[in-house]
Amino acid sequence: MPPSATQSRLAETMSERLRQIISGPDADISLAEAALLIAGHGYPDLNVAAYLSRIEELAYMLRLRIDEDDSVPERISALNQFLFGELGFAPNTEDYYDPRNSFLNEVLERRTGIQITLCVIYMELGRKIGLPLHGVSFPGHFLVKCAVPDGAVVLDPYSGGISLGLPDLQKRLRDVRGGEVSRAIIAELLVSASNKEIIVRLLRNLKAIYLRKRNLDRALPIMDWIIATVPEETQELRDRAMIYQELECARAALADFEEYLKRSPSCDDADDIRRRIFELRRDASRLN
């Protein structure tokens, strides 16, 4: 059933709010709000404020379990016990590509999700009890790290918040891409992800899910947000152009392909893009 006029207006309002957030300073971004606004793509009448309040309620419940002089390891332990023990949050291993795993409202309701959404909830709650948590775009698996006096602890909310040592990280990296996995390489990969990088990773997950299901109409707004967040990544323009072309939106596809080629004239697929531009110009001329 198509959305009502009211739902469409609400969805547009959420979309504009998301664009406002991602155009501002990275430090001012609320990951929870941004993730919920993205969820508005699937739920046009989503009450974002109500779910933000629910996160605050969970944080209040967690703070009751924390003593003022608790150490960082004790706070991490309390967070893990609360989120994964008491509340039962867990990875959705049975249907990883269910879009609901990428919608924060559904993750809060169903208490299951994928790495990125479980990490967002983990970071939001952890920061509210004084833990300096940051996301890490580790290859193949989004992680969280927490600063401690002698370095950092790397945590995996997808696996119940377990701590990962150097051998664990080396094995995971070797499984993903092989090759050398020295301590120096691991250290380079543990750089903190910015809030915008986390938002883009969440959006790209949704993009991949919709494209996997050939749900092109659903993928397009997600790709619009990605391009708005990282306009310098020209391959996103190319990807959107290809979707427009498949949907027979010739003029929109042509505009994106031309902009892509203008920005990346030496790209590896330049010949293919020129061929597509030729075909689209021919098709567009027939529409006049």
Side-chain angles (χ1 to χ4, degrees):
M1 179 182 295
S4 66
T6 300
Q7 287 177 322
S8 296
R9 286 193 297 271
L10 288 171
E12 183 60 30
T13 298
M14 285 190 282
S15 180
E16 287 302 316
R17 174 57 183 158
L18 180 60
R19 288 174 181 272
Q20 179 185 10
I21 288 174
I22 61 181
S23 66
D26 193 83
D28 294 344
I29 293 175
S30 163
L31 280 178
E33 182 183 6
L36 286 165
L37 290 168
I38 291 169
H41 173 64
Y43 304 86
D45 53 357
L46 180 67
N47 189 334
V48 172
Y51 281 98
L52 289 175
S53 294
R54 181 175 300 189
I55 292 173
E56 289 294 340
E57 291 171 5
L58 293 177
Y60 173 76
M61 294 169 61
L62 176 58
R63 280 193 292 267
L64 295 177
R65 293 154 173 78
I66 303 292
D67 291 330
E68 188 174 340
D69 59 349
D70 277 352
S71 65
V72 167
E74 288 171 330
R75 290 170 188 263
I76 291 174
S77 178
L79 172 58
N80 288 345
Q81 175 57 32
F82 177 67
L83 192 62
F84 306 116
E86 294 183 38
L87 298 182
F89 278 81
N92 189 335
T93 56
E94 294 183 0
D95 193 1
Y96 187 90
Y97 295 101
D98 186 336
R100 293 178 296 176
N101 295 327
S102 295
F103 294 143
L104 202 65
N105 61 314
E106 284 284 1
V107 177
L108 288 166
E109 293 286 356
R110 301 164 67 227
R111 301 188 180 182
T112 187
I114 55 177
Q115 294 115 336
I116 189 71
T117 45
L118 289 175
C119 283
V120 167
I121 294 174
Y122 194 87
M123 287 189 292
E124 287 289 317
L125 293 180
R127 288 169 177 174
K128 292 179 187 301
I129 59 169
L131 289 173
L133 299 179
H134 298 277
V136 175
S137 293
F138 198 76
H141 201 103
F142 198 83
L143 301 170
V144 171
K145 69 177 181 179
C146 181
V148 293
D150 57 347
V153 177
V154 180
L155 306 160
D156 183 6
Y158 194 72
S159 300
I162 62 171
S163 176
L164 302 174
L166 178 62
D168 301 311
L169 294 168
Q170 288 175 319
K171 181 182 184 304
R172 289 191 178 201
L173 182 59
R174 192 178 294 110
D175 290 343
V176 170
R177 68 185 195 186
E180 184 184 359
V181 288
S182 67
R183 180 185 292 269
I185 289 176
I186 294 295
E188 290 177 1
L189 294 172
L190 293 180
V191 64
S192 298
S194 69
N195 288 322
K196 289 182 183 179
E197 287 170 342
I198 295 172
I199 291 170
V200 169
R201 183 145 178 165
L202 177 57
L203 289 168
R204 282 182 171 146
N205 278 347
L206 270 174
K207 169 188 169 183
I209 289 168
Y210 286 136
L211 293 184
R212 179 187 178 94
K213 296 176 179 289
R214 302 297 300 161
N215 199 335
L216 304 185
D217 288 331
R218 301 291 288 171
L220 269 177
I222 300 299
M223 298 168 84
D224 291 343
W225 284 334
I226 295 174
I227 291 169
T229 310
V230 283
E232 69 279 4
E233 297 193 15
T234 55
Q235 71 274 12
E236 296 293 346
L237 275 173
R238 178 203 59 202
D239 291 353
R240 186 174 67 179
M242 290 181 175
I243 298 304
Y244 275 134
Q245 189 172 21
E246 285 201 53
L247 292 173
E248 299 183 353
C249 300
R251 290 191 176 91
L254 180 60
D256 275 355
F257 277 135
E258 288 178 334
E259 183 63 21
Y260 169 66
L261 202 58
K262 177 182 175 182
R263 294 195 203 175
S264 306
S266 302
C267 56
D268 292 339
D269 54 356
D271 289 342
D272 176 59
I273 300 304
R274 291 190 184 97
R275 177 185 59 78
R276 290 173 182 267
I277 288 174
F278 174 80
E279 293 173 354
L280 287 164
R281 285 175 176 165
R282 180 192 60 200
D283 294 343
S285 67
R286 293 172 179 170
L287 298 176
N288 294 327

